[in-house]
């Protein structure tokens, strides 16, 4: 199984508080999470801590996970859909060591799923929490570099610049060329960056039964999408939002309708396309072998 | 003698927070909350649990008249949380309300600012009961269709006050409703009507 699979609950390593963070920090993050849930899509500032990993490696997601995690939770961590890549393995081991919670690679078994840039293909359910690692939480940042200004734009719900950006895509390329971190409008109010997930995953955020929390460590922001909340990808009437489609099925499990990674197999131009979500791919391969 | 706080501070605080988080994420659906506290009356175990789990030196706490009249309540909260107590509802991060029927108008509390709507007050109400069914009809983020819930007692003119609170979205106060053994959430994003 990917990344050596999951592990049963164990005794946490001594010398650290449960899930690494001190209780004062957890309280501060928990208060930010509650306000983030109350104002869907709004970025709540929080006092992000130094974590034992560099910024850019998911320190925001790790702090959110540490603040919500309890002994009964089952944790899954994915990096671009995979349970077995460096970022996913190291964060999963970090929490196994510092909290002793059970870990898994199975989407259906997890209560908390920390993710870097993908939403699992398996539909999420009520009671699950998806924690996103976010590098740049401000969707308007590349249009307006000043935080004081973007705060005002959000306060006034002034999102014209974002529509101009998408329109410039159309005028230059003939279609909206934004393929990841595709801006969404949450509950009819705030425009939000869904983190650099492929736009393929945007429809999964809409009316999702699971709670979605977003943590940006370096940028010190937490935001949220409660369950059953409308998440609309910005578009135009004559250029409606469309997700990527793939002509070939997954080369390993044969699935259609999954997000696929391109894998180069030789130096003569050979390549294959496989599911980015390793859990569902392995599950399908195992079922087919039975 | 001072009543003790959480028996297991780390995991009891986490369990309380998770119940409150789930309650606010799914407005109107009460969650179990059994903190095992025995605070001085009229502070209820559920009010005390939310205070111990979420407040500290960074969060001014406002007490309603019933709680403020009992010095043992202030002593208990000061010792276990270190939170400063304030008499100004508009300056409070959290407001503890032991008698919801006599709660000041929601507009008396901090609504946050347009740039920082998260700086609003969170009110924690000790209701006598929260029953499913006719009373309040809720729609909005976190709610699949419509949910009906009947907390009692509630502040006078609650539905009108909530409508005013919601009209200012994203500004507004958030409510955590507690009752013995349960907690329900009513964030500002929720539309409340009678029914």
């Amino acid at each position: 199984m990917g990344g050596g699979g999951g592990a049963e609950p164990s005794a946490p390593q001594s010398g650290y508080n449960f899930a690494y963070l001190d209780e004062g920090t957890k309280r501060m993050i928990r208060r930010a999470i509650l306000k983030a849930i109350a104002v869907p899509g709004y970025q709540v500032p929080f006092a992000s801590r130094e974590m034992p990993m560099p910024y850019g490696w998911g320190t925001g997601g790790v702090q959110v996970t540490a603040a919500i995690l309890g002994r009964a939770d089952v944790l899954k961590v994915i990096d671009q859909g995979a349970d077995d890549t460096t970022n996913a393995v190291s964060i999963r081991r970090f929490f196994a060591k510092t909290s002793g919670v059970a870990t898994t690679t199975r989407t259906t078994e997890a209560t908390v799923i920390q993710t870097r840039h993908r939403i699992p293909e398996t539909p999420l359910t009520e009671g699950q929490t998806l924690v996103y690692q976010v590098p740049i939480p401000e969707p308007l940042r590349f249009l307006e570099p000043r935080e004081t200004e973007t705060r005002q734009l959000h306060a006034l719900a002034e999102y014209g610049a974002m529509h101009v950006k998408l329109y410039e895509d159309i005028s230059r390329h003939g279609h909206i060329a934004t393929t990841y971190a595709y801006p969404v409008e949450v509950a009819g109010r705030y425009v939000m960056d869904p983190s650099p997930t492929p736009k393929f995953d945007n429809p999964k955020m809409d009316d999702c039964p699971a709670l979605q929390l977003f943590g940006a460590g370096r940028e010190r922001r937490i935001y949220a999408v409660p369950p059953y909340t409308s998440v609309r990808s910005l578009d135009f009437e004559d250029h409606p939002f469309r997700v990527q489609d793939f002509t070939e099925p997954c080369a390993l499990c044969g699935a259609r309708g999954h997000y696929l990674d391109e894998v180069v197999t030789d130096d003569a131009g050979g390549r294959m396309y496989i599911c980015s979500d390793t859990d569902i791919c392995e599950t399908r391969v195992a079922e087919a072998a039975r | 003698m001072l009543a003790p706080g959480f028996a297991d501070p780390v995991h009891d605080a986490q369990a309380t927070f998770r119940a409150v988080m789930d309650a606010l994420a799914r407005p109107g659906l009460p969650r179990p909350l059994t903190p095992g506290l025995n605070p001085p009356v009229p502070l209820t175990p559920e009010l005390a649990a939310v205070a111990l789990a979420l407040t500290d030196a960074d969060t001014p706490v406002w007490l309603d008249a019933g709680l403020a009249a009992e010095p043992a309540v202030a002593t208990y909260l000061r010792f276990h949380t270190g939170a400063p107590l304030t008499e100004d509802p508009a300056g409070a991060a959290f407001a503890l309300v032991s008698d919801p029927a006599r709660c000041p108008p929601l507009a008396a509390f901090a609504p946050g600012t347009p740039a920082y709507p998260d700086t609003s007050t969170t009110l924690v109400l000790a209701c006598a009961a929260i029953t499913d069914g006719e009373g309040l009809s809720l729609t909005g983020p976190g709610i699949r269709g419509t949910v009906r819930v009947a907390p009692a007692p509630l502040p006078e003119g609650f539905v009108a006050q909530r409508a005013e609170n919601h009209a200012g979205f994203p500004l507004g106060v958030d409510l955590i409703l507690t009752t013995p053994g349960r907690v329900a959430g009513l964030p500002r994003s929720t539309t409340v009507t009678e029914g």
Side-chain angles (χ1 to χ4, degrees):
Chain A
M1 290 294 288
E8 294 292 307
S10 58
Q13 184 168 316
S14 65
Y16 290 102
N17 190 26
F18 179 81
Y20 185 80
L21 290 178
D22 63 276
E23 290 301 299
T25 298
K26 285 186 194 171
R27 266 196 303 277
M28 174 270 297
I29 294 172
R30 287 167 178 169
R31 291 193 295 261
I33 290 171
L34 296 183
K35 287 300 179 190
I37 290 170
V39 191
Y42 163 72
Q43 301 163 49
V44 182
F46 81 112
S48 180
R49 300 295 192 243
E50 291 275 342
M51 296 301 285
M53 62 185 70
Y55 286 135
W57 282 69
T59 53
V62 165
Q63 289 179 79
V64 170
T65 299
I68 67 172
L69 212 58
R71 278 185 293 205
D73 277 312
V74 180
L75 178 69
K76 170 182 165 83
V77 185
I78 53 173
D79 171 8
Q80 304 272 15
D83 293 279
D84 56 1
T85 49
T86 311
N87 198 223
V89 172
S90 59
I91 291 173
R92 192 164 63 237
R93 285 191 187 150
F94 172 75
F95 281 115
K97 207 181 250 184
T98 58
S99 76
V101 299
T103 56
T104 184
T105 59
R106 306 296 307 272
T107 302
T108 50
E109 290 170 4
T111 58
V112 175
I113 303 172
Q114 182 171 328
T115 174
R116 175 178 173 272
H117 312 349
R118 270 315 307 282
I119 300 173
E121 305 286 359
T122 310
L124 300 177
T125 56
E126 286 185 11
Q128 287 185 313
T129 303
L130 188 59
V131 179
Y132 295 74
Q133 302 171 198
V134 182
I136 297 168
E138 179 49 71
L140 304 168
R141 183 59 69 232
F142 291 106
L143 308 171
E144 170 51 68
R146 290 167 295 182
E147 171 69 12
T148 48
E149 290 301 306
T150 53
R151 285 243 148 222
Q152 281 301 316
L153 293 174
H154 283 293
L156 299 168
E158 174 48 71
Y159 297 122
M162 186 56 90
H163 281 99
V164 170
K165 187 228 176 230
L166 296 176
Y167 173 73
E168 283 177 349
D169 263 14
I170 295 170
S171 63
R172 196 175 298 167
H173 306 287
H175 63 278
I176 298 175
T178 304
T179 55
Y180 66 95
Y182 191 104
V184 294
E185 180 196 75
V186 181
R189 177 57 175 82
Y190 282 94
V191 165
M192 183 188 94
D193 186 333
S195 86
T197 50
K199 68 176 178 178
F200 182 88
D201 285 339
N202 277 20
K204 295 178 191 155
M205 305 178 80
D206 180 42
D207 209 33
C208 176
L211 170 64
Q212 302 173 74
L213 301 175
F214 299 78
R218 184 190 57 220
E219 303 291 323
R220 298 174 155 77
R221 296 291 183 272
I222 286 171
Y223 51 105
V225 176
Y228 303 117
T229 297
S230 90
V231 177
R232 190 178 67 81
S233 302
L234 299 185
D235 62 357
F236 300 97
E237 278 174 23
D238 53 344
H239 285 273
F241 174 77
R242 296 230 313 263
V243 299
Q244 297 97 330
D245 44 26
F246 300 89
T247 49
E248 290 175 52
C250 170
L252 298 180
C253 75
R256 290 185 183 274
H258 290 179
Y259 191 78
L260 303 182
D261 286 339
E262 180 183 15
V263 180
V264 175
T265 51
D266 55 33
D267 59 1
R271 59 200 59 208
M272 64 196 285
Y273 292 89
I274 60 169
C275 289
S276 130
D277 184 333
T278 54
D279 169 52
I280 199 159
C281 197
E282 285 169 3
T283 306
R284 285 172 53 87
V285 169
E287 277 171 7
R290 236 188 291 134
Chain B
M1 203 184 84
L2 192 69
F6 286 132
D8 184 343
V10 171
H11 296 101
D12 289 354
Q14 189 274 338
T16 302
F17 160 73
R18 263 307 257 283
V20 171
M21 180 182 91
D22 290 343
L24 280 170
R26 302 295 310 278
L29 293 186
R31 301 279 163 173
L33 177 63
T34 48
L37 292 172
N38 194 13
V41 286
L43 191 62
T44 66
E46 293 76 22
L47 285 185
V50 174
L52 265 55
L54 294 173
T55 68
D56 54 30
D58 293 337
T59 57
V61 172
W62 179 89
L63 303 178
D64 76 349
L67 293 170
E70 182 51 67
V73 170
T75 307
Y76 178 87
L77 291 173
R78 279 209 184 90
F79 180 81
H80 289 298
T81 70
L85 300 178
T86 176
E87 290 178 4
D88 174 18
F94 287 85
L96 303 184
V97 181
S98 64
D99 184 358
R102 289 191 186 79
C103 182
L106 297 184
F109 297 93
T113 64
Y116 293 95
D118 56 298
T119 52
S120 68
T121 306
T122 304
L123 281 83
V124 193
L125 272 55
C127 297
I130 301 175
T131 45
D132 305 337
E134 298 235 334
L136 304 177
S137 188
L138 314 181
T139 55
I143 302 166
R144 194 177 191 184
T146 306
V147 65
R148 287 192 167 75
V149 67
L154 284 174
E156 191 137 335
F158 182 71
V159 171
Q161 287 198 49
R162 272 291 314 198
E164 193 187 327
N165 186 63
H166 181 71
F169 188 86
L171 304 191
V173 299
D174 304 305
L175 301 175
I176 298 171
L177 309 175
T178 68
T179 193
R182 302 209 295 173
V183 60
L186 213 47
R188 71 192 84 173
S189 58
T190 303
T191 306
V192 181
T193 52
E194 310 220 25

